[in-house]
């Protein structure tokens, strides 16, 4: 019997996630853990590249742990852990830094974008973020990494560093491939459908968060931008309606064509309520389960502890090979 491939995915605990995060990543995790040996990380070290309120970071880490579980991750079947609980991530990042070149990092699109957004805090962590991400991936001999368009450059660097290390020191790392799952088109802002939906949007009506209750979700969809026409069709000339059709299609598993037929002759007001109800029917059970889990911090701590122990065994198996290859003297124990 063929052994399952190893899949690695990480999300930063940097605040409430949106339905865009759910459709692009979280909802796929339940199936992925059945198809692959899955390692899911809460990338708390990565969040430190931007100024954090310590109490909020701790709260967000528990929130994301609970959300992972509420979305169907089985902590016995998959490995679920906090990145900072496995020090091998930072240790391997240092080794990879010694074979990575400054020009590779300064050319990263995300570094340029984040430098503009955080001009008061352009730190080395912000530049070195992709090397730590490469360490995250390579530690587990990862074969598949679910990625969005904004992470393709980072995965390419991880691949380059794996190949470079293997060529210099002999075969050590598996070279990971990107996993592109089936998903709907990008979820756009409800207020400005030309822009991607973002949890950091100043306009709270522009995004649906995974913490929104049904009434809030429906109210936000009622206020969603449409156009002066009255036809519910998918078209580049109708970005607002097209976005709502994409969302409805994703949450009901119906095709865009079937959704267009379903709402033929229906007014915008009725259509927007129907989209809101479809989204709320999926999000509300997850929200309730997440809140139930957050009331049991001891259980969440146990999940993170067990996950870190399992991750550590895999990570140090790789790191010990790396240390030996580069010539570091092994520590004698006992």
């Amino acid at each position: 019997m063929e052994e399952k491939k190893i899949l690695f995915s990480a999300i930063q605990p940097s605040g409430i996630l949106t339905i865009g995060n759910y459709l692009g990543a979280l909802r796929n995790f339940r199936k992925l853990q059945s198809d692959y040996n899955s390692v899911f990380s809460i990338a708390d070290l990565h969040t430190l590249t931007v100024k954090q309120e310590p109490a909020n970071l701790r709260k967000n880490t528990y929130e994301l742990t609970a959300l992972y579980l509420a979305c169907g991750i089985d902590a016995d079947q998959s490995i679920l852990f906090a990145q900072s609980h496995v020090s091998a991530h930072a240790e391997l990042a240092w080794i990879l830094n010694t074979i990575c070149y400054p020009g590779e990092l300064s050319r990263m699109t995300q570094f340029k974008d984040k430098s503009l957004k955080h001009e008061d805090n352009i730190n080395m962590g912000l530049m070195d973020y992709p090397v730590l991400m490469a360490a995250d991936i390579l530690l587990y001999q990862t074969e598949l990494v679910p990625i969005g368009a904004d992470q393709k450059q980072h995965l390419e660097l991880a691949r380059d560093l794996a190949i470079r290390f293997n060529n210099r020191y002999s075969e050590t790392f598996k070279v990971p491939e990107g996993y592109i799952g089936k998903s709907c088109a990008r979820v756009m802002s409800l207020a400005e459908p030309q822009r991607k939906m973002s949890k950091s949007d100043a306009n709270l009506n522009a995004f649906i968060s995974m913490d929104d209750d049904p009434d809030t979700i429906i109210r936000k969809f009622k206020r969603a931008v449409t156009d002066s026409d009255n036809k519910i069709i998918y078209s580049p000339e109708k970005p607002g309606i097209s976005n709502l059709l994409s969302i409805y299609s994703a949450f009901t598993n119906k095709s865009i064509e079937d959704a267009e037929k379903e709402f033929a002759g229906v007014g915008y007001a009725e259509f927007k309520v129907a989209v809101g109800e479809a989204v709320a029917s999926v999000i509300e059970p997850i929200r309730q389960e997440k809140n139930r889990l957050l009331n049991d911090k001891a259980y969440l701590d146990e999940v993170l502890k067990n996950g870190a122990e399992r991750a550590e065994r895999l990570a140090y198996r790789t790191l010990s090979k790396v240390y030996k290859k580069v010539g570091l003297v092994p520590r004698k124990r006992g």
Side-chain angles (χ1 to χ4, degrees), residues 12-17 60 64 199:
Q12 289 190 44
S14 53
I16 296 167
L17 301 184
N60 289 340
L64 183 54
K199 65 178 182 279

Side-chain angles (χ1 to χ4, degrees), residues 213-274:
D213 60 36
D215 289 343
T216 302
I217 290 172
I218 291 167
R219 185 180 71 250
K220 287 182 178 182
F221 274 107
K222 283 181 177 178
R223 295 174 179 173
V225 167
T226 51
D227 54 52
S228 56
D229 195 354
N230 62 359
K231 293 178 181 175
I232 299 172
I233 57 172
Y234 194 91
S235 165
E237 284 75 45
K238 298 168 73 69
I241 289 296
S242 296
N243 186 38
L244 295 179
L245 279 168
S246 279
I247 293 170
Y248 183 79
S249 169
F251 275 92
T252 60
N253 293 314
K254 295 178 182 178
S255 69
I256 296 286
E257 293 76 14
D258 285 345
E260 288 175 329
K261 289 174 187 172
E262 182 180 346
F263 294 106
V266 171
Y268 281 176
E270 186 180 339
F271 170 56
K272 290 196 281 188
V273 169

